[in-house]
Amino acid sequence: MMEAETILGMPATDKGVNKVKWRRGNAQRYNATPTGSVEYTVENGIIVGVPEGGVFGPLARQAYLQKVADASALAHAEQEATAAAFAVRAKEEAAKKAASDKAEAVRQEREEAQAKEDIIALANARVQANITCRDKSNCAKMFSLAQIFITQNADQKIQVATDTVIQTYNATENGNIAASIIKMPGSGSNERITLTLSCKSEGKAFAKLCRTNQTRIYNAFRPFIEKNLAK
């Protein structure tokens, strides 16, 4: 190292365990030129890798340029590898998103189809909850049974109960069932008893719950009346 300092005419500006550097003036690059700075590897206090012709000779310049080219090639290869990895990840993410979107579309389609089936089932059940009675005595008993049915199946307490109307309070919580029953005069001595249900629903989940519970109650109304009327 002392010999190098003599050849260069200046002491090393940076002496490390594995590297030694000479910086000339404000030169920032170690480019093996007389006006630039140099950097060499040190092993056991001895500078190694000095090309033939000295630190500023043509071979030193060539070695430096090769080193720069190798570093540039390595950086380019790393950039390409990073870009390729990113492209693979982007492709995988796109495939996952496409699969997720497809699954969600299928789920929504099934959910909508089920909702339509539920609505049809509810409409049919509501029709079946209309009962015609043949005389006043028969109708009075049916109407009394209807009040019992509401008490057992509605979530809200009865607010009004007359000879022609039975009505609960309105539903105040999601999923709660409110009910009303009206007895209307029909032809001759016939009368018609109609059950009407309502259910508070905010959001799809409660809407489905309401349809399910309303359909169940509507379907249970006629069998309850007919079974208990025969007793």
Side-chain angles (χ1 to χ4, degrees):
M1 192 177 300
M2 291 178 62
E3 183 179 352
E5 289 178 335
T6 300
I7 293 172
L8 293 172
M10 60 182 293
T13 53
D14 188 357
K15 295 180 181 179
V17 178
N18 301 313
K19 295 285 184 181
V20 60
K21 303 177 184 179
W22 283 268
R23 174 171 291 176
R24 293 181 180 276
N26 294 324
Q28 299 297 315
R29 300 181 63 187
Y30 296 91
N31 55 9
T33 62
T35 57
S37 302
V38 291
E39 173 185 285
Y40 281 105
T41 302
V42 176
E43 292 182 3
N44 298 321
I46 300 175
I47 297 175
V48 296
V50 179
E52 183 179 350
V55 294
F56 295 130
L59 293 180
R61 178 64 177 170
Q62 183 179 345
Y64 166 76
L65 293 176
Q66 185 61 49
K67 180 179 179 181
V68 171
D70 291 344
S72 177
L74 177 60
H76 182 68
E78 289 176 347
Q79 289 177 354
E80 287 189 337
T82 300
F86 180 80
V88 170
R89 286 197 299 271
K91 187 176 181 180
E92 290 175 348
E93 291 298 325
K96 288 180 181 179
K97 186 178 186 305
S100 177
D101 290 346
K102 183 178 180 179
E104 178 62 19
V106 171
R107 186 193 67 78
Q108 289 184 359
E109 184 177 347
R110 289 177 179 174
E111 188 177 271
E112 290 172 1
Q114 184 61 54
K116 290 179 181 178
E117 291 181 8
D118 291 347
I119 291 171
I120 293 172
L122 176 58
N124 292 334
R126 186 183 292 115
V127 172
Q128 294 300 315
N130 294 322
I131 302 175
T132 300
C133 46
R134 61 182 180 273
D135 56 55
K136 290 188 178 296
S137 175
N138 183 260
C139 289
K141 186 173 182 180
M142 281 189 179
F143 202 63
S144 296
L145 291 171
Q147 181 170 347
I148 295 172
F149 181 83
I150 283 184
T151 302
Q152 293 177 348
N153 289 276
D155 295 305
Q156 306 301 117
K157 293 182 178 180
I158 292 176
Q159 180 183 22
V160 177
T162 69
D163 293 339
T164 56
V165 176
I166 303 170
Q167 184 173 355
T168 69
Y169 288 94
N170 292 330
T172 56
E173 296 183 10
N174 280 318
N176 279 9
I177 299 289
S180 67
I181 293 182
I182 298 176
K183 183 171 64 173
M184 296 284 293
S187 59
S189 61
N190 290 341
E191 292 183 326
R192 189 171 187 81
I193 297 175
T194 301
L195 170 64
T196 301
L197 301 176
S198 62
C199 182
K200 184 174 182 180
S201 59
E202 296 177 352
K204 289 184 178 180
F206 283 112
K208 179 176 177 58
L209 176 64
C210 284
R211 288 194 298 269
T212 299
N213 289 339
Q214 286 176 291
T215 300
R216 173 180 56 78
I217 295 172
Y218 276 130
N219 284 331
F221 182 58
R222 181 181 290 271
F224 176 86
I225 297 297
E226 292 177 349
K227 177 181 177 181
N228 288 280
L229 191 64
K231 291 182 179 179

